Each structure stands twice: as structure tokens, then as C-alpha cells.
Amino acid sequence: QTLCDSEGVRIDLAALPLVVRAGAGSVRDTLSVLDQLMSGAPAEGVTYELATQLLGYTPDTLIDEAIAGFATADGPIVFSVIDKVMESGQDPRRFTEDLLQRWRDLVILTAVPQALESGLLDMPGDRAEVLRGQVSAFTPGALVRAADLVSTALGNLRGATAPRMMLELMCARILVPAAEGTPAAMNARIDQ
């Protein structure tokens, strides 16, 4: 924020965590990403939407839609999100990474209810309220199971010849715990 202020470039506070995430823990890479965003910024500055688009992240609205579908076990919603991802030309791997990031945030918020206030999770206030609403729709076991399934799918997407099918299978596993014989799936069925 200080760099943007010194350069006279406005930036949405919601875009800053995206810049940090794109830097993947490297200060130099983070500053390089910020420099690229600032140099291409229009007169109104770097908006959250622009940062999402330029950095290739999945829009929060699409992730929110998927999470809402999972929360209510609404297959048509979840699979329509996959359709939107594929039809819009988004990278399926990036979508899966972003979905995993959301599950991770929800798992942390479940384990540490004050994570948003303490800075453990860094996001603007309106997003914080959305996450609080989402976390209340899942049991801790369901969150961990979903994160684990998405993490496994992310590994399987490397070099996948049918990425859409991989995404759909991942979603089906999350939606239908009876399809698996794992202890986590059994716990999810008990929770349901």
C-alpha cells in the first residue's frame, strides 16, 4: 500500500492479498507483481476485479457459488460452476488451487474462530462475513475431507488429458460421501 501511495496509484485493499499470494512468499516476486499491476493500471487504479483478471485468479463470486452448492449438496449448482470455468477458458488447475485456498481458509476459521481478527486470515471485512457464513454450513470433518479431496485432485490435474472430468469427479466425491469407503467419508455421512 505504501508503494502504491508513493507512486500515486490507487489500489483496492482487497487486491493486496492477491498480490502477496501471487508472490508465493518471495518479497522480490511480490514487488515485481505489484510493479506489473501498477504499470498497467488504468486511471481509476488497480481494482480487485482487475487484479483477479490479470493475475489469473478465479473470481470470488465463482468460488462462493461452488461453496454454496457444496453446502447444500446442490449438484446442479456445483456442476454449473465447472461448466462456467471450462466455457470461460479459465485454467482448471488455477480454479482448483483457488478452491483449495478457500477450503483452507474455512478449515482455519473453524479451528481458530478469531483468525480474521488476529490476522491469521487476511481479507477485507465484507469477505470475512462471507467466510463466516460459509464456515457455518459445514462440519469440521466435512471441511477437512473436502480440502483433502481438492488437494488430491490438484495433484492429479498435472498433465491430465481430461481436466473437466477430473474437476467433475472431484466435485462428485465432495458431494456424495457415500461413494467412498474412507473413514473421512464415513464421518461425513454420519455428520449428514
Side-chain angles (χ1 to χ4, degrees), residues 1 5 9 26 58 61 75-76 83 94-95 106 142 144 153 187 191:
Q1 182 66 57
D5 291 345
V9 176
S26 166
T58 306
T61 54
D83 191 53
R94 168 55 73 187
F95 168 76
L106 295 175
V144 171
N187 286 339
D191 286 344

Coordinates of all heavy atoms in Angstrom, one line a residue, residues 1 5 9 26 58 61 75-76 83 94-95 106 142 144 153 187 191:
Q1 N 0.8 -1.2 0.0 CA 0.0 0.0 0.0 C 0.9 1.2 0.0 O 0.6 2.2 -0.7 CB -0.9 0.0 1.2 CG -1.9 1.2 1.3 CD -2.9 1.1 0.1 OE1 -3.6 0.2 0.0 NE2 -2.9 2.2 -0.7
D5 N 0.9 4.2 -2.8 CA 0.7 5.6 -2.4 C 1.8 6.5 -2.9 O 1.6 7.6 -3.4 CB 0.5 5.7 -0.8 CG -0.7 5.1 -0.3 OD1 -1.7 4.8 -1.1 OD2 -0.8 4.8 0.9
V9 N -0.7 5.6 -7.2 CA -1.6 4.6 -7.9 C -2.5 4.1 -6.8 O -2.1 3.6 -5.7 CB -0.8 3.4 -8.4 CG1 -1.7 2.3 -9.0 CG2 0.2 3.9 -9.5
S26 N 7.8 -14.8 -1.7 CA 9.0 -14.1 -2.0 C 8.7 -12.6 -2.1 O 7.9 -12.2 -2.9 CB 9.6 -14.6 -3.4 OG 10.5 -13.6 -3.9
T58 N -9.4 -17.1 -9.8 CA -10.8 -17.3 -10.0 C -11.6 -16.2 -9.3 O -11.3 -16.0 -8.1 CB -11.2 -18.7 -9.5 OG1 -10.4 -19.7 -10.1 CG2 -12.7 -19.0 -9.8
T61 N -16.8 -14.6 -6.7 CA -18.2 -15.0 -6.9 C -18.4 -16.4 -7.3 O -19.3 -17.1 -6.9 CB -18.8 -14.0 -7.9 OG1 -18.1 -14.0 -9.1 CG2 -18.9 -12.6 -7.3
G75 N -25.9 -30.4 -6.6 CA -25.1 -30.8 -7.7 C -25.2 -29.9 -8.9 O -24.2 -29.5 -9.5
P76 N -26.4 -29.5 -9.3 CA -26.6 -28.6 -10.5 C -25.8 -27.3 -10.3 O -25.2 -26.9 -11.3 CB -28.1 -28.4 -10.5 CG -28.7 -29.6 -10.0 CD -27.8 -30.0 -8.8
D83 N -18.8 -25.9 -15.4 CA -19.2 -25.5 -16.8 C -18.7 -24.1 -17.1 O -18.1 -23.8 -18.1 CB -20.7 -25.7 -17.0 CG -21.0 -25.6 -18.5 OD1 -20.4 -26.3 -19.3 OD2 -21.9 -24.7 -18.9
R94 N -5.9 -23.7 -12.0 CA -6.0 -22.4 -11.2 C -7.3 -22.4 -10.4 O -7.3 -22.1 -9.2 CB -5.9 -21.2 -12.1 CG -6.3 -19.9 -11.4 CD -5.5 -19.6 -10.2 NE -4.1 -19.2 -10.6 CZ -3.1 -19.0 -9.7 NH1 -3.4 -19.1 -8.4 NH2 -2.0 -18.7 -10.1
F95 N -8.4 -22.8 -11.0 CA -9.6 -22.9 -10.3 C -9.5 -23.8 -9.1 O -10.0 -23.5 -8.0 CB -10.8 -23.4 -11.2 CG -12.0 -23.7 -10.5 CD1 -12.8 -22.8 -10.0 CD2 -12.3 -25.1 -10.3 CE1 -14.0 -23.1 -9.3 CE2 -13.5 -25.4 -9.6 CZ -14.3 -24.4 -9.1
L106 N -11.5 -21.9 5.2 CA -12.7 -22.3 6.1 C -12.2 -23.3 7.2 O -12.7 -23.2 8.3 CB -13.7 -23.0 5.2 CG -14.4 -22.1 4.1 CD1 -15.3 -22.8 3.2 CD2 -15.1 -20.9 4.8
A142 N -16.3 -32.4 7.4 CA -16.6 -32.2 6.0 C -15.6 -31.2 5.4 O -15.3 -31.4 4.2 CB -18.1 -31.6 5.9
V144 N -12.4 -30.6 6.2 CA -11.1 -31.2 6.1 C -11.2 -32.2 4.9 O -10.3 -32.3 4.1 CB -10.7 -31.9 7.4 CG1 -9.4 -32.7 7.2 CG2 -10.4 -30.8 8.4
A153 N -7.0 -33.9 -6.0 CA -7.4 -33.6 -7.4 C -6.4 -32.7 -8.0 O -6.0 -32.8 -9.2 CB -8.8 -33.0 -7.5
N187 N -17.3 -40.5 8.2 CA -17.6 -39.4 9.2 C -18.5 -38.4 8.5 O -19.4 -37.8 9.2 CB -16.3 -38.8 9.6 CG -15.6 -39.7 10.6 OD1 -16.1 -40.5 11.2 ND2 -14.2 -39.4 10.7
D191 N -22.0 -37.2 9.8 CA -22.3 -35.8 10.1 C -23.6 -35.4 9.3 O -24.4 -34.6 9.9 CB -21.2 -34.9 9.6 CG -20.0 -35.0 10.5 OD1 -20.1 -35.4 11.6 OD2 -18.9 -34.5 10.1

